[in-house]
């Protein structure tokens, strides 16, 4: 199998408890994400990695494939690695359960980037920032990359620093595309100093000298983390999308 997609779905959430089962325009969030990933031509198998039987039941009832993971795993990335250890594949996609707008145009280019260059260990999406307020927002992860799309740094701070006019900023959005062997290696690594400082796991890849490919996305998404995000996404679907 070439490409495995894993959707980590944890029930507990400080800001939005039971988030994967919250209905978005009448459909549980986890099923919206699952069905979007199922439609991607580059994906061979989709797993929902969860620590909760309620989520597993909803997924199985829809014909999906849940995988129960230990509740003590600290992050979604750890759930993805847990699944990857048990399922052979060339590539592993980490698709966030909080992204109901993820689609083929966001996933297939990551697989293509891994196909195109064997030195790329991780491929992720970047989107040009259009809302100036996002440049300084610490919850928006900014990315800088070279002319070939190779990541140079990620930060919660504005990078590049806007000393002069005319700057352009990009943010990281959406899924991650890993080479499976590197994902398993990454999961066993100690956190690095910059990663701990910024609380950004992609900096562990950069600090270890491994290559990340930044793939520019044509559209933005709406990630569901708070009740306010639910209001935004419901408005989006009411507009007929």
């Amino acid at each position: 199998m070439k490409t495995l997609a894993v959707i980590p779905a944890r029930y507990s959430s400080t800001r939005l408890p039971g988030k994967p089962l919250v209905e978005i325009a009448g459909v549980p969030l986890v099923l919206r994400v699952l069905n979007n990933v199922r439609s991607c031509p580059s994906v061979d198998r989709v797993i929902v990695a969860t620590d909760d039987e309620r989520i597993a039941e909803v997924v199985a009832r829809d014909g999906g494939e849940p995988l129960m993971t230990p509740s003590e795993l600290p992050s979604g990335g750890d759930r993805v690695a847990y699944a990857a250890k048990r399922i052979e594949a060339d590539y592993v996609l980490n698709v966030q359960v909080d992204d109901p707008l993820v689609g083929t145009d966001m996933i297939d280019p990551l697989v293509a980037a891994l196909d195109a260059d064997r030195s790329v260990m991780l491929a992720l999406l970047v989107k040009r920032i259009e809302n100036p307020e996002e440049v300084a927002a610490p919850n928006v992860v900014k990315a800088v990359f070279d002319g070939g799309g190779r990541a140079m740094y990620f930060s919660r701070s504005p990078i590049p620093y806007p000393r002069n006019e005319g700057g352009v900023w990009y943010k990281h959005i959406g899924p991650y595309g890993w080479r499976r062997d590197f994902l398993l290696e990454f999961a066993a690594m100690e956190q690095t100093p910059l990663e701990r400082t910024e609380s950004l796991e992609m900096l562990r890849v950069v600090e270890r000298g491994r290559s990340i490919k930044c793939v520019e996305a044509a559209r933005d998404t709406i990630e569901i983390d708070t009740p306010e995000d639910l209001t935004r996404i419901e408005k989006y679907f009411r507009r007929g999308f």
Side-chain angles (χ1 to χ4, degrees), residues 64-215:
E65 187 176 357
L67 174 67
M68 296 303 298
T69 61
S71 58
E72 63 268 19
L73 292 178
S75 72
D78 291 298
R79 294 187 199 288
V80 174
Y82 182 91
K85 286 180 183 178
R86 288 152 180 79
I87 302 171
E88 291 285 343
D90 295 327
Y91 309 146
V92 179
L93 294 166
N94 179 346
V95 184
Q96 309 302 314
V97 76
D98 58 10
D99 191 356
L101 302 184
V102 69
T104 296
D105 59 335
M106 292 182 165
I107 287 177
D108 291 348
L110 299 182
V111 176
L114 293 169
D115 278 341
D117 188 345
R118 292 190 60 83
S119 71
V120 172
M121 296 294 107
L122 169 62
L124 50 77
L125 297 175
V126 292
K127 173 69 176 65
R128 182 167 176 166
I129 293 177
E130 298 173 6
N131 178 358
E133 293 181 1
E134 291 186 331
V135 175
N139 62 313
V140 176
V141 177
K142 273 68 69 174
V144 291
F145 45 91
D146 67 19
R150 299 292 181 119
M152 300 168 67
Y153 196 69
F154 299 89
S155 181
R156 298 182 182 280
S157 297
I159 53 171
Y161 178 77
R163 181 170 183 172
N164 300 308
E165 294 183 358
V168 175
W169 289 267
Y170 287 84
K171 61 182 176 179
H172 162 56
I173 64 168
Y176 297 74
W178 296 88
R179 293 192 185 276
R180 176 180 178 269
D181 290 347
F182 179 67
L183 171 61
L184 299 182
E185 179 186 341
F186 172 87
M189 293 175 181
E190 294 289 333
Q191 285 190 326
T192 53
L194 291 174
E195 176 190 8
R196 287 194 295 270
T197 300
E198 294 252 22
S199 192
L200 294 175
E201 63 183 2
M202 58 275 274
L203 290 176
R204 191 186 319 174
V205 182
V206 174
E207 285 187 88
R208 298 282 184 179
R210 310 302 282 272
S211 180
I212 299 177
K213 176 73 172 184
C214 295
V215 179

Side-chain angles (χ1 to χ4, degrees), residues 8-27:
R10 179 172 171 265
Y11 188 86
S12 298
S13 171
T14 303
R15 291 180 290 181
L16 200 60
K19 179 167 63 174
L21 299 182
V22 171
E23 291 197 352
I24 307 295
V27 179

